[in-house]
Amino acid sequence: MFIAILTYKKPLEDVDRHLQAHRDYLAKHYAAGDFIASGPQIPRIGGVIMIKADNRAAVDSIIAQDPFNINDIADYQIVEFTLTMFLNDDLKKYPFIKDTDRLILRPWQESDAESLYRYASDPDIGPIAGWPPHTSVSDSLEIIRTVFAAPEVYAVVLKDTNEPVGSCGIMFSNGLHSANMTQREAEIGYWIGKPYWGQGLIPEAVNALLSRCFNELGLDAVWCGHYDGNVKSKRVIQKCGFKYHHTDHDVVSPLGDKRTEHFYRMTKEDYNALHINRERTVDRRTEEVVD
């Protein structure tokens, strides 16, 4: 998360001359999900914009479009921070939109119903995870309006086609979940359509959710689980760096049958160590290429 602090360097008459264009710019980026809050400083010496972006380069690209910047009306100080505490839940309800190398994670939309049915109607997708195949586009639409309307549930959208091909989400202790977790912990769930199995897309999505959990929501630990026999889900969990925690037997699935469920856990310390090791691996590979 970032805050842009604007300080006017031109008289207010010049500021007002470009004010409407600046407001249009703000509206455009609110609609795109880039801005969370904004307003003028008191006294009127500048303004403040709270920006949701992945990195400083993305912020710089957004600021470059501001008419105040284009016309040399203001200077900009950019402050990056991690959002860990809230006065209320309003910011947590703000739509999280994340893009990775190949994916966009965004809230589900009613217009996604046909794509959802295309993949969720496959009997090889839902039952192994404990939910029934979708029976119609209307069924998928109802799921979007109910189950997928919960906070932190996201469509897994391919950048190349802009089509949702799976789903992922973060479940908290006060909602639907499987793991026995505390208030500052969460559980990650996911699935993807059969044509996209084995391409590493879900690990990409899960890693984005882990970043969300630890770097933005300030959680202490994240859980993940799979039913016995769901080998593909197990591979995702292991690939993302979760550590095996325990196994529960005779768990009643949402389909009503009894199953064995395996649980894995990742703490904030695990996450930090994992990323330090990955950065060191990348550095070593870079050195080998240079040598």
Side-chain angles (χ1 to χ4, degrees):
M1 198 76 72
F2 296 82
I3 293 177
I5 302 172
L6 288 67
T7 302
Y8 298 142
K9 54 183 181 179
K10 295 287 181 67
L12 288 180
E13 307 88 74
D14 292 338
V15 173
D16 290 339
R17 194 173 301 119
H18 298 281
L19 186 58
Q20 186 56 53
H22 174 72
R23 288 172 175 166
D24 292 343
Y25 155 83
L26 292 174
K28 171 186 172 183
H29 286 281
Y30 274 114
D34 298 326
F35 293 167
I36 295 177
S38 61
Q41 295 185 47
I42 301 174
R44 194 182 170 203
I45 60 172
V48 176
I49 307 172
M50 184 178 290
I51 304 172
K52 180 178 173 298
D54 293 332
N55 51 56
R56 176 60 188 268
V59 173
D60 290 342
S61 176
I62 292 170
I63 293 299
Q65 304 169 38
D66 188 349
F68 282 176
N69 182 54
I70 294 170
N71 294 283
D72 201 31
I73 298 296
D75 288 325
Y76 297 77
Q77 178 188 358
I78 308 298
V79 178
E80 182 175 7
F81 72 103
T82 299
L83 196 62
T84 59
M85 296 184 69
F86 313 87
L87 178 62
N88 52 42
D89 286 338
D90 289 345
L91 285 176
K92 285 188 178 180
K93 295 175 183 175
Y94 191 81
F96 168 72
I97 301 175
K98 173 76 174 180
D99 68 310
T100 67
D101 289 342
R102 296 175 291 172
L103 303 172
I104 296 172
L105 307 185
R106 61 157 173 78
W108 283 90
Q109 303 166 1
E110 292 190 2
S111 58
D112 296 328
E114 287 190 9
S115 293
L116 175 58
Y117 174 67
R118 183 176 301 119
Y119 301 108
S121 59
D122 189 327
D124 289 335
I125 299 294
I128 197 168
W131 49 272
H134 292 197
T135 57
S136 65
V137 174
S138 296
D139 183 26
S140 294
L141 179 59
E142 184 63 19
I143 294 296
I144 290 173
R145 289 172 172 171
T146 55
V147 179
F148 288 177
E152 305 291 342
V153 177
Y154 305 103
V156 177
V157 180
L158 290 180
K159 280 186 175 180
D160 288 346
T161 63
N162 201 34
E163 182 188 26
V165 297
S167 186
C168 64
I170 304 167
M171 299 162 283
F172 301 97
S173 59
N174 60 351
L176 180 66
H177 64 281
S178 296
N180 183 16
M181 55 194 180
T182 67
Q183 188 174 0
R184 291 184 57 84
E185 299 180 346
E187 181 180 354
I188 285 178
Y190 50 80
W191 64 267
I192 196 165
K194 191 189 295 183
Y196 304 99
W197 287 2
Q199 299 181 29
L201 293 169
I202 281 298
E204 202 169 300
V206 170
N207 282 324
L209 293 186
L210 286 171
S211 175
R212 167 75 165 164
C213 287
F214 291 121
N215 296 329
E216 296 184 32
L217 299 180
L219 299 179
D220 294 333
V222 176
W223 294 80
C224 207
H226 68 86
Y227 290 126
D228 204 33
N230 193 344
V231 177
K232 289 181 173 58
S233 185
K234 178 180 179 180
R235 287 174 182 164
V236 170
I237 292 169
Q238 293 175 333
K239 188 172 184 178
C240 291
F242 285 86
K243 295 179 179 179
Y244 173 77
H245 191 274
H246 73 278
T247 294
D248 285 345
H249 300 281
D250 295 327
V251 176
V252 179
S253 83
L255 293 177
D257 58 329
K258 290 185 177 180
R259 304 189 186 187
T260 296
E261 189 167 8
H262 307 283
F263 289 96
Y264 300 72
R265 188 170 181 261
M266 181 184 296
T267 65
K268 172 66 171 175
E269 292 74 21
D270 294 335
Y271 177 79
N272 290 338
L274 188 64
H275 279 259
I276 290 172
N277 289 335
R278 285 176 179 170
E279 289 171 3
R280 287 174 178 170
T281 300
V282 171
D283 290 342
R284 283 198 298 270
R285 289 175 178 170
T286 303
E287 289 172 1
E288 289 171 1
V289 170
V290 172
D291 290 343

